[in-house]
Amino acid sequence: MKNRGKVLGIAKRDLKAGEEFQIPISLMNGELLPNDSINSEVKSLIPEIEDNYYFIGQFPTTVYSKAYYSYLAVYYNLSTSYGWYPQSASQEYLDKISSLDRNFKEKNCQDLKNDADYLKIRSFISYKENCDVLDECNFRQKIKKDNVCLYIND
């Protein structure tokens, strides 16, 4: 996994001769992703994610999107439009993230689509009734489980 140092913000040049660094074991073996039924459903969506993805809407507290953002970057080389370091993003970009979430909550479909296109979001992962919003906004349903869904922004 040659990108591990990049993901953690540690460059090889920052290490002294003979030093190594390790990713915390909880990330490496997936312990940040609980094995409850909802997380099992989310994990089952992973192979079907297309390009940049985004967790949208409210999830139970056991579904921690930032843990998935880390895990999927390391193990699946998948990127999220949410990003890693908001301090390096432009204010315009951060405003678009806020706008995306607001337009989703308000079911403002055209602006939601425009924000998703601007942010280059291809896949949305959502929970329960939030899936209905993605359906109403004419995103393409790829997978719908009992609790979670994966929609595609074509």
Side-chain angles (χ1 to χ4, degrees):
M1 291 190 216
K2 68 180 189 180
N3 288 331
R4 283 188 283 181
K6 183 178 178 189
V7 169
L8 293 174
I10 301 170
K12 190 174 182 178
R13 69 182 180 285
D14 295 330
L15 300 174
K16 294 178 178 69
E19 283 186 329
E20 295 182 4
F21 68 93
Q22 297 176 353
I23 294 175
I25 192 68
S26 60
L27 176 60
M28 290 303 292
N29 66 20
E31 288 178 19
L32 290 176
L33 308 177
N35 282 320
D36 60 19
S37 62
I38 296 169
N39 278 286
S40 293
E41 286 186 20
V42 173
K43 291 175 197 175
S44 75
L45 302 177
I46 293 170
E48 303 301 322
I49 293 173
E50 298 178 17
D51 298 324
N52 280 351
Y53 67 98
Y54 190 80
F55 280 75
I56 195 158
Q58 294 294 314
F59 284 82
T61 56
T62 60
V63 179
Y64 185 55
S65 61
K66 291 180 181 178
Y68 279 97
Y69 294 155
S70 300
Y71 184 78
L72 295 179
V74 171
Y75 285 102
Y76 293 89
N77 199 29
L78 289 170
S79 297
T80 175
S81 295
Y82 183 80
W84 289 96
Y85 195 65
Q87 292 84 345
S88 66
S90 71
Q91 188 58 50
E92 180 182 12
Y93 191 88
L94 296 174
D95 290 345
K96 282 292 184 186
I97 293 280
S98 295
S99 175
L100 176 85
D101 291 329
R102 183 178 55 256
N103 286 320
F104 179 78
K105 287 176 190 168
E106 295 173 0
K107 300 180 184 178
N108 185 341
C109 296
Q110 187 57 54
D111 288 341
L112 175 64
K113 170 75 171 140
N114 291 342
D115 291 342
D117 289 345
Y118 177 89
L119 295 166
K120 297 181 171 84
I121 297 171
R122 176 92 168 122
S123 299
F124 284 108
I125 298 169
S126 201
Y127 177 72
K128 291 216 178 209
E129 62 275 353
N130 294 321
C131 298
D132 296 337
V133 175
L134 294 169
D135 198 54
E136 290 169 26
C137 288
N138 294 315
F139 291 99
R140 179 172 50 89
Q141 178 183 307
K142 188 164 186 181
I143 300 173
K144 192 165 189 181
K145 302 280 186 175
D146 289 337
N147 296 295
V148 300
C149 59
L150 175 66
Y151 274 75
I152 304 300
N153 178 22
D154 288 319

